[in-house]
Amino acid sequence: GAVVSQHPSRVICKSGTSVKIECRSLDFQATTMFWYRQFPKKSLMLMATSNEGSKATYEQGVEKDKFLINHASLTLSTLTVTSAHPEDSSFYICSATRQGARTDTQYFGPGTRLTVL
Amino acid sequence: GDSVTQMEGPVTLSEEAFLTINCTYTATGYPSLFWYVQYPGEGLQLLLKATKADDKGSNKGFEATYRKETTSFHLEKGSVQVSDSAVYFCALRLYNFNKFYFGSGTKLNVKP
């Protein structure tokens, strides 16, 4: 099947530092990757959509300078939380759609738990 | 706006019990509806989907019917197993839009 990995699975950092989260499609090429954020007992909230080689499209209310997304290759997208603060603590999930496939089929990574002290 | 509401959990059942997890939606236009499942330590996986009214999605003994009149897509299984313990997410995708709206997830615990 289509496998998406995320690294790290868990990260703790100090306030003011930047954290990078990687999302990789392991056995397929992903034309589009999505980044979600999940608060406790809340739904997944789409943050941004990224296409390989182009700028990410951010959802309303998501600070693009705060959450930097890079989709440099067909198998890798990164989310960098810049100058992290405790309110950025959350569960971040990425997903990817397979090149040539319908975009209603998304393959999800296992998520990254970010804790900002 | 467009949204999905699903019942809060956790839901705790004994093995072989009947399962229903309620999901209702609000959408402009004609959405496709999905159920995703997340097992511990893994990413969300598509469980089933329905793309138009009255369609029934089914997989692994789970079923859900797209009910336009009640804007619902309730998940059902006749006899749950311990291995079904997971978090279940209801979601919608608007036609021709590359965006999903997810419910908050319902944790299911099945006891032997």
Side-chain angles (χ1 to χ4, degrees):
Chain A
V3 179
V4 175
S5 70
Q6 282 184 240
H7 178 79
S9 58
R10 188 182 295 266
V11 58
I12 301 172
C13 69
K14 292 182 178 179
S15 186
T17 61
S18 294
V19 174
K20 180 184 284 187
I21 302 170
E22 294 186 346
C23 175
R24 292 182 185 273
S25 55
L26 298 184
D27 53 359
F28 66 100
Q29 293 187 322
T31 44
T32 305
M33 287 185 167
F34 304 85
W35 286 96
Y36 294 85
R37 181 173 179 177
Q38 186 179 24
F39 295 95
K41 297 186 179 180
K42 299 288 186 182
S43 61
L44 277 71
M45 181 187 72
L46 180 65
M47 299 174 66
T49 304
S50 73
N51 293 292
E52 184 263 340
S54 61
K55 289 185 177 180
T57 302
Y58 289 81
E59 294 298 305
Q60 192 173 10
V62 178
E63 299 175 62
K64 58 183 67 176
D65 294 330
K66 173 79 171 174
F67 299 99
L68 300 178
I69 291 172
N70 184 289
H71 192 161
S73 77
L74 282 172
T75 59
L76 174 65
S77 176
T78 59
L79 167 67
T80 301
V81 183
T82 62
S83 186
H85 291 284
E87 57 266 29
D88 299 325
S89 298
S90 193
F91 195 59
Y92 293 88
I93 301 173
C94 73
S95 70
T97 55
R98 191 196 294 262
Q99 186 176 35
R102 293 166 53 116
T103 54
D104 65 358
T105 301
Q106 294 194 20
Y107 302 96
F108 286 81
T112 297
R113 171 76 60 192
L114 170 63
T115 302
V116 184
L117 303 176
Chain B
D2 305 300
S3 65
V4 175
T5 302
Q6 62 182 104
M7 62 189 289
E8 281 193 34
V11 173
T12 301
L13 296 173
S14 297
E15 207 165 22
E16 298 184 1
F18 184 86
L19 168 72
T20 300
I21 300 178
N22 290 336
C23 171
T24 57
Y25 67 90
T26 302
T28 52
Y30 304 97
S32 295
L33 301 173
F34 304 81
W35 276 100
Y36 281 84
V37 58
Q38 185 177 30
Y39 299 103
E42 299 182 14
L44 277 73
Q45 303 172 25
L46 179 64
L47 179 60
L48 53 85
K49 68 179 182 182
T51 57
K52 61 182 187 296
D54 299 325
D55 269 3
K56 177 185 284 188
S58 61
N59 185 24
K60 299 181 181 179
F62 291 90
E63 292 184 340
T65 301
Y66 188 141
R67 302 281 188 203
K68 187 178 177 183
E69 63 276 13
T70 54
T71 61
S72 65
F73 193 55
H74 303 322
L75 181 69
E76 296 182 337
K77 187 174 185 181
S79 176
V80 293
Q81 306 300 311
V82 173
S83 57
D84 293 326
S85 297
V87 181
Y88 293 82
F89 292 88
C90 185
L92 71 82
R93 175 180 176 266
L94 297 176
Y95 177 74
N96 233 17
F97 281 86
N98 206 13
K99 180 175 178 178
F100 280 69
Y101 294 86
F102 283 87
S104 55
T106 302
K107 186 172 184 179
L108 171 65
N109 296 316
V110 181
K111 296 185 174 180

